């Protein structure tokens, strides 16, 4: 009598919010526009720490993706956050000719 073994299903755990995966696309590329970045990966592209990004997302101050109570950022979110905190240079108005 032979024993039959069934293959085990491979389960891949989603990355934790502090994990940075290898070979992820840049947010500005077409592949990165809809790619979901962990907060640690998004912090690599933004001038905020992981904790600051999570705090601002929980306070609804920045756009993010909420999939099953797991905060992630799409490439479009990262670009929107970058634009939200971009300060334009001040230009002085031209003097009126007297």
């Amino acid at each position: 009598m032979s024993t039959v073994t069934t293959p085990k299903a491979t389960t891949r755990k989603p990355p934790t919010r502090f994990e940075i995966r290898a070979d992820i696309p840049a947010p500005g590329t077409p592949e990165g526009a809809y790619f979901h970045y962990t907060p640690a990966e998004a912090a690599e592209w933004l001038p905020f720490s992981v904790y600051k990004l999570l705090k601002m997302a929980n306070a609804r101050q920045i756009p993010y993706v909420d999939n099953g109570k797991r905060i992630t950022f799409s490439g479009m979110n990262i670009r929107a956050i970058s634009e939200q905190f971009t300060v334009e240079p001040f230009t002085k108005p031209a003097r009126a000719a007297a």
Side-chain angles (χ1 to χ4, degrees):
M1 179 166 224
S2 64
T3 59
V4 178
T5 59
T6 59
K8 292 185 178 182
T10 57
T11 57
R12 205 174 82 189
K13 291 183 180 179
T16 63
R17 59 183 169 192
F18 300 109
E19 182 180 344
I20 298 177
R21 297 168 283 185
D23 299 329
I24 58 173
T29 62
E31 300 87 22
Y34 295 102
F35 186 83
H36 287 244
Y37 299 88
T38 64
E41 293 166 347
E44 294 289 320
W45 298 98
L46 295 168
F48 301 110
S49 69
V50 177
Y51 298 105
K52 181 70 174 178
L53 284 174
L54 290 171
K55 184 178 178 181
M56 290 191 312
N58 285 323
R60 309 290 195 266
Q61 295 173 341
I62 57 174
Y64 68 96
V65 179
D66 184 9
N67 287 336
K69 294 188 178 182
R70 181 165 294 177
I71 294 174
T72 58
F73 298 92
S74 70
M76 292 188 297
N77 293 141
I78 292 172
R79 294 189 307 202
I81 294 167
S82 180
E83 289 174 11
Q84 179 180 348
F85 290 97
T86 300
V87 178
E88 296 296 326
F90 177 73
T91 56
K92 294 182 181 179
R95 280 192 172 191

